[in-house]
Amino acid sequence: MASLTYDLALAGLSVGSAAALTGIGLIVTYRATGVLNFAHGAIAMVCAYVLYQFTVEWDWPLAPAAAVTLLVVAPGIGMALERFVFRPLSVLGGDPAQTLVASIGVFVLLVGGAALVWGPGARADAPTLIPGDPWGQLAVAVALAVAVGAVTRWTRFGRELRAVVDDRSLAVLGGVDADRVAAAGWAFGSFTAGLTGVLLAPYVRLDPYGLPLLVVEVVAVAVAARMRSLPVAVVVALGIGVAQSQLTRLHPSGWAEPLLQAVGANLFVVALLVAALALPRVGAGDALPRTTTPRVATPPGAWIVAAVLFLLPLGFAGRDLHTSVQVPALAVVLLSLVVVTGRGGQISLGQAAYAGLGALFTALLAAGRFPFLPPLPELTALVVAVLLVAPLGLLTGWPAIRRHGLALALATFAVGVGVSRFVFVQPYATSGLTLGRPAGFEGDRAYYVLELGLLGLSLLAVHALRRGRTGRALAAVRDHEPGASAAGVRVPSLKLSAFVAGAALAALGGGMLGMGLRAFDAAAYDPVRGLLWFAAVVVLGADSVLGALAAAALLVGLDAGTRGGVAAALIGVLAVFVGRFPGGPYEALRAVAARPRSRHRAALTPLGTRVRRTVRAREEAVRRRRGAGVPPEGSARPTRAAESAPPGRAERGAAPPHTPV
């Protein structure tokens, strides 16, 4: 028994050491730049793939391949991100929500790019940099923590780092090279991300989606340390790692067995939920970046074009029609983000969880496996599933009452990860589960017609919500929450209503998507999908219904080919541009399009030409009179006393000499 405990403790130390490296990297990046880097896991994944490419594909020796990966590639990624993505935000004074959108864009871009280059499949032959003995990994984590702590506490660079984070503009006035400090912080943070990915890759599956999400889950380590204390981060990471390994010894029986086993295998997710929902929040910025330009009017005929494009798949057949079935369903899911994020201004990274719950509840209700309810027809099951999932929107709505910006993003993301780990991938809920289509709509073409009808109803509901009194109140909360509260808007209840409505729409779209695929697929609703959906809606117009429709068509259409990841890469590029240009890519395109027009001089009307000619003639007459010594019209002539006064006195405006009587 003692030997088993010791062996499990060693295994836990190995996992905890990797988590500690992640926490160190996140904290260093946050303390150097003020950015909670959601792309940390994606950087770790890319570095692991680069080392795999060097050693397995190109037959490099392990030592030089690791040196190039960790000392050149990883810091280079961090410095490139700081220079081209996050430095413009810091110079322009971007709020935490802008950096959040940019970091999610980098995450999505790197994940999509890795899927394009190396394929979406998992690889089990990643090279091992440090042997399985946990003491080596633990020594690396502790040494890094000690070195970073010493540098930040006792060196000039550490003082400059703290000054840049506290007030960048004031630090620059004090002679601090803020760009150099931020670049160094990003380089070191990316180095730790690369080291984490290289160490984890041999022991977990190396794929573009699993490894980034695994690293993101351990963000709880940094949050528990309040993004400040490196010793706390290391201790928490090692403690959770050892506890998770020891929990594998438990073998409970009965109905609680699968749930307890899930908790034991996902203790970092539990810590993320506790850290995001219970511990003091990180960041308190606005929900979304505010635009300073008026909203772009919808182009004439845009709705006609959208209607034609969505009706076009009715003429398809075979695989093309089967793929198109996903577009209306995903459009309904993205409409939920228009309500919550676009209109309400609340960051929600957990909409994929509600979409998955809608699909799961629909399948359980139709199969008669839902407690206390008989088997229901598929369409009825979909409606009941929406009614059951809608109140669950309080899971993310309740934290939104007192959280904003990064704190709200962490809370909603934690809920999404928790639902994915404890519900979607557990066999007690999904084993042997199938999902059919409503009677009379079994074929792809007939089901597509049904989807168009449900999409039309969803569009009408969103339009009524956005244009009605509730929509105006939501917009007021989005634009200025204290002002809306002072005007009498019930902000807490309004936020809860937005999240409940968003959960209902996401559940409807998720159920439609499940029936379109004829099965419940947990991978279709994983948290990475939620990040991708959020980024797509933001870059294509968070408050635009047409933007949601375009995003759905784009995400499904681009990934319909033989290689996945194209849509993720494109959305990532657009999200990075949202960070580069505060007005977004649309505003940048409008500015570029306006430049040629600005070169042409405006033409005057005939009346304006006559007025300009008259004004110029009068100005010319005045100049001639002044040149001839004639005073302008309406000016007073000098008096005799002034004419006879001495030049100096007259110039000074002195009074004439006093003559006594």
Side-chain angles (χ1 to χ4, degrees):
M1 182 65 68
S3 177
L4 177 60
T5 302
Y6 178 75
D7 292 339
L8 291 176
L10 291 182
L13 287 176
S14 179
V15 175
S17 299
L21 290 174
T22 300
I24 293 170
L26 289 171
I27 291 174
V28 169
T29 305
Y30 186 83
R31 291 175 65 175
T33 63
V35 177
L36 180 57
N37 186 18
F38 261 78
H40 194 87
I43 297 173
M45 175 268 299
V46 169
C47 292
Y49 266 116
V50 168
L51 183 61
Y52 167 85
Q53 185 72 28
F54 285 158
T55 56
V56 177
E57 298 293 337
W58 294 347
D59 296 326
W60 284 26
L62 180 59
V68 172
T69 301
L70 297 178
L71 301 180
V72 178
V73 176
I77 293 174
M79 296 177 69
L81 293 179
E82 188 278 331
R83 176 62 182 87
F84 298 106
V85 179
F86 295 100
R87 183 183 297 182
L89 288 174
S90 61
V91 172
L92 295 174
D95 62 24
Q98 287 179 317
T99 61
L100 171 68
V101 174
S103 65
I104 291 177
V106 174
F107 177 93
V108 172
L109 174 61
L110 293 180
V111 169
L116 283 174
V117 175
W118 290 288
R123 301 178 184 272
D125 54 346
T128 302
L129 183 61
I130 296 179
D133 184 4
W135 300 114
Q137 298 182 14
L138 179 60
V140 171
V142 173
L144 279 177
V146 171
V148 172
V151 169
T152 56
R153 182 178 295 272
W154 292 311
T155 65
R156 178 181 178 181
F157 178 79
R159 294 191 295 272
E160 292 179 347
L161 187 148
R162 293 193 296 270
V164 170
V165 175
D166 292 339
D167 193 322
R168 185 186 181 98
S169 59
L170 188 60
V172 171
L173 291 176
V176 176
D177 190 349
D179 294 339
R180 178 180 61 85
V181 173
W186 272 100
F188 184 80
S190 296
F191 164 75
T192 59
L195 185 59
T196 303
V198 167
L199 294 179
L200 282 178
Y203 308 105
V204 299
R205 63 175 188 172
L206 177 58
D207 68 275
Y209 301 99
L211 184 58
L213 184 59
L214 180 65
V215 175
V216 170
E217 288 174 2
V218 301
V219 72
V221 172
V223 177
R226 301 288 304 277
M227 307 303 296
R228 294 179 180 274
S229 176
L230 294 176
V232 171
V234 173
V235 171
V236 170
L238 296 178
I240 295 176
V242 173
Q244 180 171 285
S245 64
Q246 294 294 336
L247 286 177
T248 58
R249 301 170 56 183
L250 299 179
H251 299 285
S253 59
W255 64 271
E257 177 182 0
L259 182 60
L260 292 178
Q261 289 180 349
V263 171
N266 297 278
L267 200 58
F268 279 99
V269 178
V270 176
L272 177 61
L273 285 167
V274 174
L277 299 177
L279 295 181
R281 55 190 178 177
V282 177
D286 289 335
L288 284 177
R290 303 290 177 256
T291 57
T292 57
T293 56
R295 182 182 174 186
V296 180
T298 302
W303 279 105
I304 297 177
V305 175
V308 171
L309 291 178
F310 270 75
L311 291 174
L312 191 62
L314 291 175
F316 295 167
R319 181 180 178 183
D320 294 335
L321 178 59
H322 185 71
T323 301
S324 301
V325 165
Q326 304 175 43
V327 177
L330 183 57
V332 175
V333 176
L334 299 185
L335 285 177
S336 69
L337 283 168
V338 173
V339 173
V340 177
T341 300
R343 201 60 178 175
Q346 307 300 310
I347 295 175
S348 179
L349 304 181
Q351 294 302 106
Y354 297 116
L357 287 175
L360 178 60
F361 285 2
T362 302
L364 292 175
L365 289 166
R369 293 172 53 178
F370 203 88
F372 311 111
L373 287 177
L376 300 176
E378 283 77 5
L379 200 56
T380 305
L382 177 61
V383 175
V384 175
V386 171
L387 296 177
L388 291 174
V389 174
L392 297 180
L394 299 176
L395 291 175
T396 49
W398 189 260
I401 293 178
R402 298 187 180 277
R403 284 176 167 83
H404 305 84
L406 297 179
L408 180 58
L410 284 172
T412 55
F413 182 74
V415 171
V417 175
V419 172
S420 175
R421 286 291 184 267
F422 298 130
V423 179
F424 294 163
V425 298
Q426 299 305 319
Y428 68 87
T430 60
S431 61
L433 191 61
T434 59
L435 181 58
R437 294 178 179 177
F441 299 96
E442 290 86 355
D444 287 339
R445 186 168 286 102
Y447 183 70
Y448 190 83
V449 173
L450 175 63
E451 284 188 310
L452 289 180
L454 295 176
L455 176 60
L457 293 177
S458 301
L459 289 171
L460 291 176
V462 173
H463 179 77
L465 178 63
R466 293 173 67 247
R467 297 297 182 185
R469 182 177 180 181
T470 303
R472 291 192 294 271
L474 279 172
V477 173
R478 175 196 63 193
D479 294 335
H480 196 276
E481 184 175 320
S485 179
V489 177
R490 298 180 178 178
V491 175
S493 60
L494 197 63
K495 287 184 178 181
L496 293 178
S497 301
F499 276 98
V500 169
L505 281 172
L508 176 61
M512 293 165 56
L513 189 60
M515 287 192 293
L517 298 175
R518 299 180 184 271
F520 173 77
D521 183 10
Y525 312 101
D526 62 49
V528 175
R529 299 281 182 179
L531 295 178
L532 176 61
W533 295 346
F534 175 81
V537 168
V538 169
V539 300
L540 293 177
D543 197 21
S544 172
V545 174
L546 284 174
L549 300 181
L554 191 68
L555 290 173
V556 176
L558 290 181
D559 282 344
T562 56
R563 297 187 66 85
V566 178
L570 178 60
I571 294 300
V573 170
L574 294 177
V576 168
F577 277 122
V578 166
R580 180 73 177 179
F581 303 102
Y586 283 169
E587 186 61 30
L589 292 176
R590 289 177 61 199
V592 171
R595 287 175 184 173
R597 293 195 299 267
S598 63
R599 298 175 183 174
H600 300 285
R601 300 180 63 181
L604 292 176
T605 62
L607 176 61
T609 303
R610 290 195 298 271
V611 171
R612 182 176 64 180
R613 190 179 301 143
T614 303
V615 171
R616 288 181 176 178
R618 289 182 178 179
E619 291 177 350
E620 184 66 23
V622 170
R623 284 194 296 268
R624 288 176 181 176
R625 289 173 180 172
R626 288 177 178 174
V630 180
E633 297 179 359
S635 61
R637 294 183 63 83
T639 62
R640 289 182 177 272
E643 291 176 353
S644 60
R649 186 183 298 271
E651 292 174 0
R652 293 192 300 269
H658 176 69
T659 304
V661 179

